């Protein structure tokens, strides 16, 4: 089932008459990219490069922990450089149409999906020293079809090489206002991928615009230095352990200069450090348990 967006499947535009404005993201904290129609993008000169990427998604009726609606399953991938992105890549317009070039790249990373012009969603000019126009496609599938693609991706040529694995985007926000989409958006994305994700979620009405703005704003707030109800104790034990390690190191250095000195004192310090390490581990476990309780 093809995605239906306000810019989908645009053909040649009329030369006369007023045209409706192109949609923008409009989310505070996210720099806007300049949108342009498919027709205008195809008229760009040879000095421009074209990248094509695709978002595959499916309605997901599942409930996380039995109470948090998952809404949709949206696929992205972890790249070889540790950045998140969408399947796709650059298309050489001298030899390929946008869709043929995109499908060629998708075949290397996914192996079992072909997109058409009907899946076209938008085009944007990118910022930076390189003249690149980023084309974005989106196709709605069934959850079963999406799962088949996830399995197929493991057996594709690029798996474990240029593609480290597929991931699903959490479209919910937990009660702590960071779990889910905000934490996901705090990751590092390649190029226009983060902008394209937010744009598609808004244009396809997958997440309300105000929820997108809240998720973006949450990633811009300073993070707490430690988890409440456990961070203070953890910090105290870290500080104490550091002091003890330094003291033990000094004493061992003195004993190395004076071999005749007894080693009992150093051994006692090391035993004490082991106890501090156990206490610190217990504090860490308690913090983890409290984090799970915030779902």
């Amino acid at each position: 089932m093809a995605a239906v967006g306000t810019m989908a499947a645009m053909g040649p535009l009329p030369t006369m008459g007023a045209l409706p404005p192109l949609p923008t993201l409009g989310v505070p904290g996210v720099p806007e990219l300049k949108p342009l129609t498919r027709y205008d993008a195809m008229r760009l000169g040879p000095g421009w490069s074209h990248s094509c990427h695709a978002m595959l998604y499916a309605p997901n009726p599942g409930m996380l922990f039995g109470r948090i609606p998952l809404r949709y399953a949206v696929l992205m991938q972890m790249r070889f450089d540790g950045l998140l992105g969408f399947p796709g890549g650059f298309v050489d317009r001298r030899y390929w149409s946008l869709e043929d070039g995109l499908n060629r790249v998708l075949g290397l990373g996914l192996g079992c999906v072909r997109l058409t012009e009907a899946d076209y969603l938008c085009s944007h000019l990118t910022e930076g020293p390189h003249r690149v126009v980023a084309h974005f496609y989106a196709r709605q599938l069934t959850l079963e079809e999406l799962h088949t693609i996830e399995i197929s991706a493991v057996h594709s040529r690029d798996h474990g090489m240029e593609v480290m694995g597929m991931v699903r985007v959490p479209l919910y926000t937990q009660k702590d206002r960071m779990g889910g989409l905000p934490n996901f958006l705090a990751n590092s994305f390649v190029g226009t991928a983060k902008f394209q994700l937010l744009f598609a979620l808004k244009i396809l009405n997958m997440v309300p615009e105000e929820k997108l703005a809240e998720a973006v704003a949450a990633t811009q707030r300073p993070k707490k230095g430690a988890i409440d109800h456990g961070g203070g104790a953890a910090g105290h034990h870290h500080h104490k352990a550091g002091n003890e390690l330094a003291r033990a190191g000094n004493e061992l250095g003195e004993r190395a200069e004076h071999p005749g000195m007894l080693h009992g004192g150093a051994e006692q310090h090391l035993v004490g450090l082991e106890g501090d390490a156990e206490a610190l581990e217990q504090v860490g476990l308690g913090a983890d348990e409290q984090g799970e309780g915030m779902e």
Side-chain angles (χ1 to χ4, degrees):
M1 177 179 178
V4 179
T6 58
M7 301 171 61
M10 282 190 175
L13 298 176
T15 57
M16 299 295 292
L19 296 174
L22 295 174
T24 57
L25 179 58
V27 173
V30 181
E32 288 284 354
L33 298 182
K34 181 180 178 181
L36 71 167
T37 66
R38 179 190 177 93
Y39 175 76
D40 288 336
M42 294 298 95
R43 296 178 61 188
L44 293 174
W48 287 85
S49 299
H50 295 261
S51 68
C52 295
H53 294 83
M55 184 180 82
L56 304 176
Y57 67 99
N60 189 348
M63 301 284 284
L64 179 65
F65 307 127
R67 55 184 175 81
I68 302 177
L70 297 178
R71 301 174 60 84
Y72 291 90
V74 175
L75 289 188
M76 295 191 75
Q77 59 187 19
M78 179 62 70
R79 293 159 38 96
F80 64 94
D81 51 11
L83 300 176
L84 289 167
F86 287 102
F90 282 95
V91 173
D92 192 334
R93 290 281 294 134
R94 296 174 299 174
Y95 308 110
W96 307 92
S97 69
L98 292 180
E99 290 74 33
D100 287 342
L102 173 60
N103 286 323
R104 180 174 178 270
V105 179
L106 292 181
L108 301 177
L110 299 180
C112 63
V113 63
R114 290 188 62 83
L115 301 187
T116 69
E117 187 175 332
D119 300 308
Y120 170 81
L121 187 64
C122 60
S123 297
H124 288 89
L125 298 181
T126 64
E127 298 178 338
H130 304 291
R131 305 177 74 188
V132 178
V133 55
H135 306 281
F136 197 51
Y137 295 72
R139 175 179 288 185
Q140 179 175 313
L141 306 169
T142 67
L143 195 58
E144 292 74 17
E145 290 171 334
L146 198 77
H147 185 54
T148 298
I149 288 175
E150 290 175 308
I151 296 174
S152 173
V154 177
H155 303 286
S156 67
R157 194 197 74 172
D158 281 350
H159 180 74
M161 301 293 289
E162 295 187 23
V163 179
M164 307 311 293
M166 306 299 295
V167 297
R168 294 190 183 189
V169 182
L171 300 186
Y172 50 82
T173 299
Q174 295 179 251
K175 290 182 179 180
D176 63 355
R177 298 186 179 181
M178 281 302 297
L181 185 58
N183 275 334
F184 187 84
L185 294 178
N187 285 299
S188 297
F189 295 77
V190 64
T192 60
K194 183 176 180 179
F195 179 91
Q196 289 172 328
L197 171 64
L198 294 171
F199 186 86
L201 294 180
K202 173 188 173 181
I203 295 300
L204 300 177
N205 296 317
M206 300 171 70
V207 176
E209 184 176 343
E210 63 273 14
K211 294 298 182 182
L212 291 179
E214 290 174 3
V216 171
T219 66
Q220 298 169 347
R221 289 196 294 264
K223 293 184 177 180
K224 294 182 180 180
I227 299 176
D228 292 340
H229 308 298
H236 169 73
H237 281 284
H238 274 296
H239 181 71
K240 180 180 178 183
N243 290 340
E244 292 293 333
L245 281 172
R247 190 187 312 169
N250 291 337
E251 292 190 8
L252 288 174
E254 292 176 359
R255 283 166 172 72
E257 294 177 359
H258 305 283
M261 296 180 66
L262 295 176
H263 297 278
E267 291 175 355
Q268 291 176 357
H269 273 298
L270 292 176
V271 170
L273 285 175
E274 291 177 358
D276 288 336
E278 291 178 359
L280 185 59
E281 183 177 357
Q282 293 298 323
V283 171
L285 290 174
D288 289 342
E289 292 172 356
Q290 291 168 1
E292 293 177 357
M294 297 170 67
E295 304 297 349

